[in-house]
Amino acid sequence: GTPKKMRGVQARIAVGAFQAALGEARRGRALRRAGGVSGPSSVQDLCAGRGSCRLTTVLRTRCLPVRAMQRESHSGAQECAPRYFRGKDGEEVAALEAVALSKEVLESDILLVGETHDNSAAHRIELDLLEMLSSSTHLKARKIVLSLEFFDTDVQLIMDEYLNGIISEEQFKTLARAPSNYVAAYRPLVEFAKERGLRVIAANAPRRYVSLARKVGREQLSAAVLPEAVKLLPPLPYSAASERYARKFEAIMRALRGGDDGAEYSVPAGMLDAQSLWDAGMAHSITREFAACAADTSTQRPLIVHISGTFHVEHELGIHEHLQLYRPDLKRVSVIIDPGAEPLSLPTSSDVPLGTFVVKTSGASS
């Protein structure tokens, strides 16, 4: 698009105007072919500044026969069966059960799952994973908690009321500002949690404060909000984006601008502050749940399964970094669900893997 149009897209990234950016998000998929940068592949990814910056290297992928659980995408195209890998060395794992029952997952406190928001295969994998963890005899002494990026902290009471049968589903979807793809993508997770009596955390920082952070900056946010708003946010001022995270974010923004103009583009500090507030907010919501469980001696040790866009959890950046600041004692593991057709990128000796586990899917859209 034109520079003027791309500047409009960048502004929408900070404020999360999902539907208005739909056309740009779809065109962003073409960025996967440019310069080793994977562009945002859904409108939610674009508006949240998500995508992935990675080199493509040596591990080839192939389309395996779909098993008895074969499904078709909404376009009618047959999907490939997901393949599972360890992110560090590319070793293939037999099935999702091997991931769910791995030593890394069973011994962890937090399981961070990264998805592309329009990848229907990812949504099925997430539900299967939650079901496996909830049913595992290895975790019968643990409290499984679901945490979701797609609901903001200011609707936690509404989430609780719905899970406890106090309000109807229609009321819940309206009052909790459920995302446009909620029914197809996330309703199965919430309904499973409701059926099993699992707690669900509305984890994200409210968008109005993310927009405000972009305007005034993270250092001035505490002075710009009312005292009652502080309890909906991470401790202020939250930590600035790390150098690695900033470089990754800037690479995506330059790719969105495109051409020579993009090579010289410098991301405004407020935009990066807004992006970081999402990461800090979700990390703090997770650690706050651990604090609540610790205060109640009758509560089992939790295993929190947090689902968000991949940009927030890839390469141990984003949420990982803020969790390390808030609760370095908690063990973290990550599962990155990648719909891209490019080969799995293996880290060099000095790199951080994409995730503890990486799932390659066919990328069918919801």
Side-chain angles (χ1 to χ4, degrees):
T2 64
K4 181 178 180 181
K5 191 170 186 178
M6 292 314 301
R7 283 195 294 271
V9 172
Q10 293 154 10
R12 290 195 291 274
I13 287 174
V15 301
F18 293 98
Q19 297 304 319
L22 179 59
E24 305 305 306
R26 287 175 175 165
R27 281 192 286 277
R29 291 188 178 104
L31 294 172
R32 294 179 182 277
R33 299 188 295 272
V37 176
S38 294
S41 57
S42 73
V43 66
Q44 292 94 333
D45 287 346
L46 181 64
C47 294
R50 303 175 190 118
S52 54
C53 179
R54 65 188 77 137
L55 298 176
T56 56
T57 52
V58 298
L59 190 63
R60 65 184 177 89
T61 58
R62 64 184 183 274
C63 181
L64 299 178
V66 181
R67 301 177 188 139
M69 296 178 67
Q70 171 183 319
R71 302 178 177 97
E72 294 185 350
S73 72
H74 288 225
S75 65
Q78 188 173 342
E79 297 181 19
C80 299
R83 300 180 68 202
Y84 307 90
F85 302 92
R86 291 186 179 276
K88 184 176 182 180
D89 57 15
E91 176 188 356
E92 187 156 4
V93 179
L96 183 60
E97 291 87 345
V99 175
L101 300 178
S102 66
K103 180 180 179 181
E104 293 92 333
V105 171
L106 294 178
E107 293 183 355
S108 68
D109 297 299
I110 304 164
L111 171 56
L112 299 172
V113 181
E115 65 158 36
T116 301
H117 299 313
D118 66 349
N119 182 4
S120 59
H123 304 142
R124 292 193 292 270
I125 289 168
E126 290 157 359
L127 180 60
D128 289 344
L129 185 58
L130 186 63
E131 290 176 342
M132 289 173 189
L133 295 173
S134 300
S135 304
S136 172
T137 57
H138 300 283
L139 294 169
K140 62 183 180 181
R142 304 285 297 277
K143 175 186 178 183
I144 307 299
V145 177
L146 177 62
S147 176
L148 297 173
E149 170 191 6
F150 322 106
F151 295 96
D152 298 344
T153 55
D154 60 350
V155 303
Q156 184 65 63
L157 177 60
I158 295 165
M159 176 70 76
D160 294 341
E161 288 174 338
Y162 176 64
L163 295 176
N164 285 278
I166 298 172
I167 62 175
S168 70
E169 183 176 18
E170 288 306 310
Q171 287 176 308
F172 163 69
K173 289 190 294 184
T174 300
L175 296 173
R177 306 186 298 275
S180 60
N181 65 339
Y182 171 76
V183 172
Y186 310 115
R187 182 181 185 272
L189 288 167
V190 173
E191 291 303 309
F192 178 81
K194 184 178 183 181
E195 177 187 332
R196 291 293 185 93
L198 305 183
R199 176 160 168 75
V200 180
I201 303 172
N204 216 346
R207 293 176 196 166
R208 60 187 181 274
Y209 302 130
V210 175
S211 179
L212 187 58
R214 182 184 186 277
K215 180 180 179 181
V216 304
R218 65 179 188 88
E219 292 285 356
Q220 301 301 319
L221 186 59
S222 60
V225 299
L226 297 176
E228 281 296 298
V230 173
K231 63 186 179 183
L232 301 174
L233 297 168
L236 301 177
Y238 54 91
S239 179
S242 67
E243 183 178 347
R244 285 176 59 219
Y245 189 89
R247 285 200 306 267
K248 185 177 177 183
F249 186 70
E250 287 171 358
I252 290 174
M253 295 306 302
R254 290 192 185 102
L256 282 172
R257 290 182 68 91
D260 296 334
D261 182 50
E264 302 298 323
Y265 177 69
S266 179
V267 175
M271 187 177 291
L272 192 54
D273 284 348
Q275 175 73 19
S276 295
L277 179 52
W278 273 314
D279 297 319
M282 287 185 275
H284 185 250
S285 293
I286 292 168
T287 57
R288 186 163 47 193
E289 184 68 16
F290 277 95
C293 290
D296 183 355
T297 56
S298 66
T299 300
Q300 296 170 305
R301 175 188 167 206
L303 170 57
I304 297 182
V305 181
H306 177 76
I307 298 174
S308 68
T310 57
F311 192 91
H312 295 290
V313 294
E314 289 179 323
H315 300 294
E316 297 185 9
L317 294 172
I319 295 173
H320 283 278
E321 295 174 298
H322 292 278
L323 285 171
Q324 183 65 24
L325 290 173
Y326 297 145
R327 288 290 302 271
D329 58 308
L330 297 177
K331 296 180 180 179
R332 308 183 304 274
V333 64
S334 60
V335 175
I336 305 300
I337 307 174
D338 182 8
E342 70 273 10
L344 175 65
S345 174
L346 293 179
T348 66
S349 58
S350 61
D351 290 337
V352 177
L354 189 65
T356 313
F357 296 95
V358 178
V359 184
K360 300 290 289 188
T361 76
S362 61
S365 296
S366 301

